[in-house]
Amino acid sequence: MSDTACSVCNVPINLAERSYPITIGAGILHNPATYDALPKAGTAMVVSNTTVAPLYASQLIAALSGRFPNIHVVTLPDGESHKDWLTLQLIFDALLENACDRKTILFALGGGVVGDMTGFAAASYMRGVPFVQVPTTLLAQVDSSVGGKTAINHPLGKNMIGAFYQPQLVVCDLDVLKSLPPREISAGLAEIIKYGPIADMAFFDWIEAHVEPLRQGDTAALAQAVKRSCEIKALVVGQDERETGLRAILNFGHTFGHAIESGLGYGHWLHGEGVGCGMVMAAHLSHDMGLVDRAFVDRLTRLIQRAGLPITAPMLSKADNAGRYMDLMRMDKKSESGEIRFVLIDSPGKAVVQAAPDDKVRAVIDRCCA
Ligand code: NAD
Ligand code: GLY
């Protein structure tokens, strides 16, 4: 991977009539030209939350004001625990109270929680209105804003209710990452690291060499990481938009990670923290299944730790911890007839999705939890 930074780059998502660009650059959110290719509409609705709206909503509205005569804002409560029906309803309330028609464009201004909920609202309001992702967390820029997965959580399982629905445009402004707390930068690094073992070990080498500047918010390093992550995701989504096969590899670390998130109660561990620790657990399982050597498990674990992420999984039950993990993982969307399917590393840079014997999974949980 080269160290050349782009000023503004476009990574295309190629999905026939649902194709769109991911625009990446510093200071692009408030530039009206960023939105030039969007369809004309009388109304835009900016969906954000109580943390992000005060920081960036006025900049976005100023950039859109020459294009859309009416711009409304709906401000949601912040947090993963609000990614639910009740909060989703606030978007529909605002759309209907403002008599928004089916040409109204929704703008998701926030992290993955705002992006997933706005996308789901766009997919279902009047059976579908256009929307734009303006991701403001590192995690959302490298993963959740791209590829059209939208959802809310259910108390019994994460992202269980949603739709595949592609945005018209993704706007990744690197400047907005400057206000992100360090813990959120680390959470984003988890999804960036993920792309190495599943698809590109040269990228993994590069992350190892740049993890400190990435954690410190170095714009040139972040530009490279966001661009390469989006390129890899675009390649996968372009081949398997609705996750009939290949796309499942993007869930490396997520089967264990989602169990941690929902088992502890949404919002205790960040999504990226669950994914980081989940990748450690999935690497152990890959090793125990005879796929990768111990050196790879140690190398991945070291990088996850250097990224500021937890590498020891939490206990979810005093009585039967492994059983609790297994019950939660059976709810995973990749499960088939109650059989849990894991994203494992076949060899570094290549992932495989398969079931694993219960005793091996239990052994990994016992080893990784404290
Ligand atoms: P988040 O949306 O909760 O954002 C993290 C925190 O940072 C929030 O408090 C938010 O208000 C704050 N924040 C956002 N931007 C900020 C900024 N620029 N400055 C200061 N604070 C800011 O969490 P996230 O990590 O962005 O996203 C996690 C969610 O994304 C999960 O619900 C996960 O399931 C989902 N996700 C979806 C996909 C997908 O393909 N759709 C992929 C990965 C994750
Ligand atoms: N984040 C996993 C996916 O988009 O498929």
Side-chain angles (χ1 to χ4, degrees):
M1 205 174 130
S2 91
D3 266 333
T4 325
C6 60
S7 49
V8 179
C9 346
N10 279 305
V11 175
I13 298 277
N14 296 314
L15 291 169
E17 73 283 0
R18 292 179 307 290
S19 299
Y20 54 94
I22 306 162
T23 303
I24 304 163
I28 56 176
L29 180 149
H30 57 76
N31 182 353
T34 302
Y35 310 96
D36 271 355
L38 290 176
K40 288 253 181 280
T43 308
M45 169 77 71
V46 175
V47 183
S48 192
N49 71 20
T50 47
T51 305
V52 180
L55 295 171
Y56 303 111
S58 58
Q59 290 180 35
L60 180 60
I61 291 165
L64 299 176
S65 59
R67 249 192 123 64
F68 304 104
N70 303 303
I71 303 176
H72 306 289
V73 182
V74 55
T75 305
L76 307 178
D78 187 4
E80 185 74 37
S81 59
H82 296 288
K83 192 176 165 184
D84 58 9
W85 277 117
L86 219 63
T87 310
L88 185 69
Q89 182 72 12
L90 298 177
I91 307 178
F92 297 130
D93 291 348
L95 287 164
L96 288 163
E97 281 160 10
N98 289 291
C100 292
D101 62 21
R102 56 174 26 153
K103 288 199 163 165
T104 301
I105 302 192
L106 271 55
F107 287 79
L109 176 69
V113 170
V114 165
D116 279 14
M117 281 199 294
T118 307
F120 189 29
S124 37
Y125 184 67
M126 293 195 176
R127 301 198 181 93
V129 292
F131 87 111
V132 172
Q133 289 272 16
V134 187
T136 61
T137 62
L138 182 58
L139 185 141
Q141 295 194 353
V142 300
D143 193 354
S144 65
S145 65
V146 174
K149 277 190 181 174
T150 76
I152 56 168
N153 298 329
H154 187 280
L156 293 179
K158 192 162 159 58
N159 294 334
M160 281 296 161
I161 299 145
F164 286 98
Y165 194 67
Q166 301 295 340
Q168 304 276 317
L169 168 70
V170 181
V171 178
C172 298
D173 187 335
L174 304 162
D175 277 353
V176 303
L177 303 178
K178 290 184 176 142
S179 54
L180 262 191
R183 189 177 168 201
E184 297 292 347
I185 293 279
S186 291
L189 287 175
E191 299 280 17
I192 293 172
I193 291 169
K194 165 187 87 178
Y195 292 113
I198 64 166
D200 183 353
M201 284 307 282
F203 184 41
F204 190 83
D205 296 343
W206 181 90
I207 302 164
E208 283 183 322
H210 292 82
V211 67
E212 274 80 28
L214 287 167
R215 283 188 75 178
Q216 284 152 20
D218 178 87
T219 301
L222 287 167
Q224 290 285 97
V226 172
K227 178 166 176 277
R228 186 62 194 140
S229 300
C230 289
E231 285 170 351
I232 295 170
K233 183 148 187 187
L235 213 64
V236 173
V237 171
Q239 293 171 73
D240 182 20
E241 181 183 7
R242 298 177 73 90
E243 198 168 310
T244 54
L246 177 71
R247 184 167 177 168
I249 66 169
L250 296 172
N251 286 316
F252 177 48
H254 288 58
T255 314
F256 289 107
H258 282 173
I260 294 172
E261 275 189 89
S262 59
L264 290 177
Y266 299 118
H268 288 274
W269 274 37
L270 301 180
H271 176 71
E273 292 171 338
V275 169
C277 192
M279 286 192 285
V280 173
M281 299 172 88
H284 276 273
L285 188 57
S286 306
H287 173 258
D288 291 5
M289 296 285 286
L291 301 172
V292 291
D293 60 20
R294 181 68 210 196
F296 170 76
V297 181
D298 293 343
R299 187 179 168 196
L300 178 61
T301 305
R302 220 168 21 251
L303 181 58
I304 289 168
Q305 188 169 33
R306 285 179 64 210
L309 293 159
I311 55 168
T312 303
M315 299 292 289
L316 298 182
S317 160
K318 281 189 182 138
D320 178 12
N321 184 52
R324 176 76 180 129
Y325 267 87
M326 306 279 280
D327 286 347
L328 289 164
M329 291 193 295
R330 260 182 222 105
M331 295 296 295
D332 189 88
K333 289 188 286 308
K334 289 184 297 304
S335 291
E336 286 178 6
S337 309
E339 184 182 66
I340 310 165
R341 292 165 73 250
F342 295 90
V343 182
L344 302 177
I345 302 305
D346 197 11
S347 58
K350 184 168 175 282
V352 64
V353 183
Q354 64 179 69
D358 281 2
D359 60 331
K360 286 198 190 300
V361 180
R362 281 178 171 273
V364 165
I365 295 166
D366 290 343
R367 196 183 313 146
C368 293
C369 288

